[in-house]
PDB file of all heavy atoms in Angstrom:
ATOM      1  N   ASN V 221      16.719   9.645  62.300  1.00 96.00           N
ATOM      2  CA  ASN V 221      16.225   9.508  60.932  1.00 96.00           C
ATOM      3  C   ASN V 221      15.710  10.850  60.419  1.00 96.00           C
ATOM      4  O   ASN V 221      15.287  11.703  61.216  1.00 96.00           O
ATOM      5  CB  ASN V 221      15.064   8.508  60.889  1.00 96.00           C
ATOM      6  CG  ASN V 221      15.481   7.133  61.355  1.00 96.00           C
ATOM      7  OD1 ASN V 221      16.065   6.369  60.594  1.00 96.00           O
ATOM      8  ND2 ASN V 221      15.213   6.820  62.618  1.00 96.00           N
ATOM      9  N   VAL V 222      15.729  10.988  59.103  1.00 97.00           N
ATOM     10  CA  VAL V 222      15.096  12.153  58.470  1.00 97.00           C
ATOM     11  C   VAL V 222      13.935  11.618  57.626  1.00 97.00           C
ATOM     12  O   VAL V 222      14.037  11.469  56.412  1.00 97.00           O
ATOM     13  CB  VAL V 222      16.103  12.961  57.626  1.00 97.00           C
ATOM     14  CG1 VAL V 222      15.424  14.164  56.984  1.00 97.00           C
ATOM     15  CG2 VAL V 222      17.257  13.452  58.495  1.00 97.00           C
ATOM     16  N   PHE V 223      12.862  11.245  58.314  1.00 97.00           N
ATOM     17  CA  PHE V 223      11.688  10.699  57.627  1.00 97.00           C
ATOM     18  C   PHE V 223      10.789  11.814  57.067  1.00 97.00           C
ATOM     19  O   PHE V 223      10.066  11.609  56.108  1.00 97.00           O
ATOM     20  CB  PHE V 223      10.853   9.854  58.587  1.00 97.00           C
ATOM     21  CG  PHE V 223      11.432   8.493  58.889  1.00 97.00           C
ATOM     22  CD1 PHE V 223      10.854   7.672  59.854  1.00 97.00           C
ATOM     23  CD2 PHE V 223      12.535   8.005  58.201  1.00 97.00           C
ATOM     24  CE1 PHE V 223      11.362   6.417  60.123  1.00 97.00           C
ATOM     25  CE2 PHE V 223      13.063   6.746  58.477  1.00 97.00           C
ATOM     26  CZ  PHE V 223      12.465   5.952  59.443  1.00 97.00           C
ATOM     27  N   ASP V 224      10.809  12.969  57.735  1.00 98.00           N
ATOM     28  CA  ASP V 224       9.922  14.076  57.339  1.00 98.00           C
ATOM     29  C   ASP V 224      10.700  14.930  56.340  1.00 98.00           C
ATOM     30  O   ASP V 224      11.761  15.460  56.669  1.00 98.00           O
ATOM     31  CB  ASP V 224       9.518  14.855  58.592  1.00 98.00           C
ATOM     32  CG  ASP V 224       8.934  13.900  59.617  1.00 98.00           C
ATOM     33  OD1 ASP V 224       7.744  13.570  59.505  1.00 98.00           O
ATOM     34  OD2 ASP V 224       9.692  13.416  60.485  1.00 98.00           O
ATOM     35  N   GLN V 225      10.156  15.027  55.136  1.00 98.00           N
ATOM     36  CA  GLN V 225      10.965  15.590  54.046  1.00 98.00           C
ATOM     37  C   GLN V 225      10.154  16.501  53.138  1.00 98.00           C
ATOM     38  O   GLN V 225       8.938  16.393  53.051  1.00 98.00           O
ATOM     39  CB  GLN V 225      11.533  14.445  53.188  1.00 98.00           C
ATOM     40  CG  GLN V 225      12.399  13.473  53.983  1.00 98.00           C
ATOM     41  CD  GLN V 225      12.928  12.324  53.150  1.00 98.00           C
ATOM     42  OE1 GLN V 225      13.496  12.535  52.094  1.00 98.00           O
ATOM     43  NE2 GLN V 225      12.749  11.108  53.637  1.00 98.00           N
ATOM     44  N   VAL V 226      10.896  17.377  52.451  1.00 98.00           N
ATOM     45  CA  VAL V 226      10.317  18.163  51.358  1.00 98.00           C
ATOM     46  C   VAL V 226      11.212  17.938  50.140  1.00 98.00           C
ATOM     47  O   VAL V 226      12.440  17.979  50.233  1.00 98.00           O
ATOM     48  CB  VAL V 226      10.206  19.666  51.718  1.00 98.00           C
ATOM     49  CG1 VAL V 226      11.509  20.237  52.233  1.00 98.00           C
ATOM     50  CG2 VAL V 226       9.728  20.471  50.513  1.00 98.00           C
ATOM     51  N   LEU V 227      10.595  17.647  49.017  1.00 98.00           N
ATOM     52  CA  LEU V 227      11.303  17.394  47.752  1.00 98.00           C
ATOM     53  C   LEU V 227      10.777  18.352  46.695  1.00 98.00           C
ATOM     54  O   LEU V 227       9.565  18.642  46.672  1.00 98.00           O
ATOM     55  CB  LEU V 227      11.053  15.957  47.275  1.00 98.00           C
ATOM     56  CG  LEU V 227      11.934  14.820  47.822  1.00 98.00           C
ATOM     57  CD1 LEU V 227      11.841  14.691  49.316  1.00 98.00           C
ATOM     58  CD2 LEU V 227      11.522  13.499  47.181  1.00 98.00           C
ATOM     59  N   LEU V 228      11.681  18.801  45.821  1.00 98.00           N
ATOM     60  CA  LEU V 228      11.284  19.802  44.818  1.00 98.00           C
ATOM     61  C   LEU V 228      11.736  19.406  43.421  1.00 98.00           C
ATOM     62  O   LEU V 228      12.851  18.913  43.236  1.00 98.00           O
ATOM     63  CB  LEU V 228      11.928  21.157  45.162  1.00 98.00           C
ATOM     64  CG  LEU V 228      11.584  21.714  46.530  1.00 98.00           C
ATOM     65  CD1 LEU V 228      12.788  22.368  47.147  1.00 98.00           C
ATOM     66  CD2 LEU V 228      10.438  22.685  46.445  1.00 98.00           C
ATOM     67  N   ARG V 229      10.889  19.681  42.449  1.00 98.00           N
ATOM     68  CA  ARG V 229      11.264  19.506  41.050  1.00 98.00           C
ATOM     69  C   ARG V 229      12.169  20.655  40.622  1.00 98.00           C
ATOM     70  O   ARG V 229      12.188  21.733  41.240  1.00 98.00           O
ATOM     71  CB  ARG V 229      10.012  19.524  40.165  1.00 98.00           C
ATOM     72  CG  ARG V 229       9.196  18.251  40.190  1.00 98.00           C
ATOM     73  CD  ARG V 229       9.858  17.119  39.444  1.00 98.00           C
ATOM     74  NE  ARG V 229       8.891  16.069  39.130  1.00 98.00           N
ATOM     75  CZ  ARG V 229       9.105  14.783  39.301  1.00 98.00           C
ATOM     76  NH1 ARG V 229      10.236  14.354  39.830  1.00 98.00           N
ATOM     77  NH2 ARG V 229       8.183  13.904  38.950  1.00 98.00           N
ATOM     78  N   LYS V 230      12.846  20.442  39.512  1.00 98.00           N
ATOM     79  CA  LYS V 230      13.800  21.435  38.984  1.00 98.00           C
ATOM     80  C   LYS V 230      13.158  22.813  38.817  1.00 98.00           C
ATOM     81  O   LYS V 230      13.781  23.843  39.111  1.00 98.00           O
ATOM     82  CB  LYS V 230      14.328  20.930  37.633  1.00 98.00           C
ATOM     83  CG  LYS V 230      15.330  21.831  36.977  1.00 98.00           C
ATOM     84  CD  LYS V 230      16.109  21.132  35.871  1.00 98.00           C
ATOM     85  CE  LYS V 230      15.275  20.774  34.673  1.00 98.00           C
ATOM     86  NZ  LYS V 230      16.088  20.170  33.595  1.00 98.00           N
ATOM     87  N   ALA V 231      11.906  22.821  38.363  1.00 97.00           N
ATOM     88  CA  ALA V 231      11.250  24.102  38.069  1.00 97.00           C
ATOM     89  C   ALA V 231      11.030  24.961  39.313  1.00 97.00           C
ATOM     90  O   ALA V 231      10.721  26.153  39.189  1.00 97.00           O
ATOM     91  CB  ALA V 231       9.908  23.846  37.380  1.00 97.00           C
ATOM     92  N   LEU V 232      11.208  24.375  40.496  1.00 98.00           N
ATOM     93  CA  LEU V 232      11.012  25.157  41.727  1.00 98.00           C
ATOM     94  C   LEU V 232      12.331  25.482  42.433  1.00 98.00           C
ATOM     95  O   LEU V 232      12.323  26.135  43.485  1.00 98.00           O
ATOM     96  CB  LEU V 232      10.093  24.407  42.697  1.00 98.00           C
ATOM     97  CG  LEU V 232       8.620  24.333  42.289  1.00 98.00           C
ATOM     98  CD1 LEU V 232       7.831  23.442  43.254  1.00 98.00           C
ATOM     99  CD2 LEU V 232       7.997  25.733  42.261  1.00 98.00           C
TER     100      LEU V 232
END
Side-chain angles (χ1 to χ4, degrees):
Chain V
N221 299 279
V222 180
F223 284 173
D224 306 278
Q225 301 178 51
V226 51
L227 275 60
L228 302 141
R229 283 287 198 226
K230 181 164 68 177
L232 289 174

